[in-house]
Amino acid sequence: MSYCASRFHTVRRPTVEVAVGAVGVGGTNPIRLQSMTTSDTQDVAATVRQSIALAEVGCEIVRITAPNVAAAKCLGEIRAQFTAAGFGHIPLVADIHFLPSAAMEAVEHVEKVRVNPGNYADKKKFAVREYSDADYETELQRLHEAFSPLVKRSKELGRAMRIGTNHGSLSDRLMNRYGDTPLGMVESALEFIRIAESHSYRQLILSMKSSNPKVMIQAYRLLVQRMAQAGMHYPLHLGVTEAGDGEDGRIKSAIGIGSLLLDGLGDTIRVSLTEDSVYEIPVARAIAEKAMSRWGGDIASLAAENSTDGIDPYHFTKRETATLHLGPGITVGPEQPPRVIVRAGEDVAATLAQLGAGKLKDTPPEILLLAAPSAARLANLPNPGASSYALELATSIGLAELKGLAIHLPPGTILVRDFAGHEAPELAAFAQFAHEHQFALAAAIDPDALPALGPTIQQLDHERLLFTLGGFSARSFGFGGHAVGRYRRLAEGLRAIGSRAPIWIRNTADTAMRGDNTFLSKLLEASFLSGALLCDGIGDLVSIETELDPVRATRLTYNVLQGAGARISKTEFVACPSCGRTLFDLQATTQRIRSQTGHLKGVKLAIMGCIVNGPGEMADADFGYVGGAPGKINLYVGKNCVQYNIPQEAADAKLIALIKEHGKWFDPEPAHA
Ligand code: SF4
């Protein structure tokens, strides 16, 4: 049983509607936007102010942390004042970790309670031990007793509940049996669903969050597949946890949330940024609108076509590809990171100068893409330096014209040309030409043309051939169609004819779903398309051609590659969005630590406001900076806390000393003049 109706079209997953106060989630409701307050919940005035600010920017569901019973009690007054301010229609959600007593208080006051199955009543000490089936059963029984009171009370009061699993906070019992894996996350949630259903309580929404989009995507897919097998159709709350701030936070969120929404999964979303929460809503809205623009595909209209591909959607496998040498230091292939292609402006020399001055040492533009409406455009091209050229040939340019120019083009140049299904002879001729001149041919084809072109492709030299999407106009995706589906179909079609030719993911105006010409829209489109494909192991070259500033386009491409975990070009920050539990100014601290450590390419640093998800998320990071007590910081190496209660003013220096101690420090490049 697959996790979605189609891997090529968006077919919304049918779900039951869950009423969160006056707001319906799932069913035929639109994707609901939510966020969270960061104020101290016991500061009722501040929390009401933040809730109103969120509601005013379009937040439909507001979450508030309840770290203890005292805070949970405050939810009553917060609800009353929020309603009095005219926001009775906006439901409040209590965020609960570790304390069933806080949950039992909170449920009296708010429309929904979020529990974390990993720490609601289960132990989390990172104790490595074998659980016999009897031990396991005993723990499950204890969990049933601890969780049932909240289930029963929620049912009595007509409250909804989110079973919100986090990759970083699975219990010891699940970690020991399944490891810190999507399967462990799914089992953790299913245990809580079964307890709820044992009391005939089904007002449930599920989430499977991780700071790693790949893990998050696999966990949601697996959960849906397992729920489908069990006849469960609960709505999903999507989010990438600790996504961070700025471009990176938006990219990681869009990769994870976007990829799932395109497969029809997801009914409410939260973009968790290490910024003021009000900035989360415009990003969430843009993501939701792009995804909902694909809605309309229905199972019936797609029944005729094959709806899936040969990829294992629950485990990451990089698509097998041939190796291509595209000039000095630029190789495409199985062991290589995806290569970065940047579109040049009309004036190639000006573009090269911009890129040269662009401080792009760790993020070099490897291939420069030029539009070649005529052969004349290819004469006297400036020396591309360390980059190679990709020349987008108009189909009017014949091989005869190219022959005269070939000697002026450096080896490794990529010739890019559209080929329709009836152009097999042209494809063979251009491939032969490329072979003879040590060029590569990037054939832009419509996947539906593969059956016609297949026999020719099978004869071609794959050491000089790559493919990208072609043969389409912006509106040819059809109902529910999208470029991710077309590229998946291209990869599947190539697999079917035994071709391991690399695939170039081109983010262009033609692959865009909807939106405006803002940088945010371009960033989200590229994250949806390239991120979703790279997280499934598809994509060997990437270009973002909607951003015309070559320096910005280059940086954005590297940031999307890093967000998808496909190519690391700078320090990776896992930073929580903060909430009422946060023990220091997270935004300022993240900025400050980034300014000192942002040059440590390949190092993963986690900055967490408190220990809730802290240690677990640490498991994936090299070093951690975690709020331990007010004004005190704990430092971690991996998931092990190595220094406790450091006064905050001394913690940055201690962190850098720790990085040096572990041989992961190198001094930043002197600032460019
Ligand atoms: S890790 Fe951050 S967002 Fe999560 S509970 Fe702690 S302070 Fe809040």
Side-chain angles (χ1 to χ4, degrees), residues 316-331:
F316 178 79
T317 320
K318 187 152 184 338
R319 176 176 167 269
E320 258 197 73
T321 60
T323 298
L324 256 72
H325 298 288
L326 296 173
I330 305 176
T331 300

Side-chain angles (χ1 to χ4, degrees), residues 212-360:
N212 178 331
K214 267 203 205 94
V215 173
M216 171 259 190
I217 292 168
Q218 290 162 10
Y220 276 103
R221 290 173 176 173
L222 186 60
L223 174 71
V224 167
Q225 190 240 14
R226 294 286 302 277
M227 287 205 293
Q229 283 170 339
M232 299 170 177
H233 304 290
Y234 297 116
L236 298 177
H237 164 125
L238 303 183
V240 172
T241 190
E242 288 99 30
D245 61 359
E247 239 180 80
D248 298 335
R250 287 160 175 76
I251 289 170
K252 281 175 97 172
S253 297
I255 290 174
I257 297 170
S259 168
L260 292 163
L261 288 173
L262 284 181
D263 286 342
L265 277 56
D267 307 282
T268 179
I269 63 175
R270 194 257 168 123
V271 171
S272 64
L273 298 175
T274 312
E275 299 170 14
D276 288 357
S277 313
V278 289
Y279 297 128
E280 298 180 353
I281 297 299
V283 183
R285 181 180 299 111
I287 289 174
E289 286 173 354
K290 286 182 189 297
M292 291 194 282
S293 75
R294 300 298 93 188
W295 283 0
D298 63 35
I299 302 200
S301 67
L302 299 171
E305 60 171 64
N306 159 12
S307 65
T308 191
D309 53 5
I311 281 195
D312 170 354
Y314 310 113
H315 301 92
F316 178 79
T317 320
K318 187 152 184 338
R319 176 176 167 269
E320 258 197 73
T321 60
T323 298
L324 256 72
H325 298 288
L326 296 173
I330 305 176
T331 300
V332 172
E335 306 308 318
Q336 301 294 325
R339 295 298 171 189
V340 172
I341 300 183
V342 178
R343 181 174 279 285
E346 261 315 294
D347 179 342
V348 182
T351 300
L352 285 168
Q354 257 185 295
L355 290 167
K359 304 179 193 161
L360 296 168

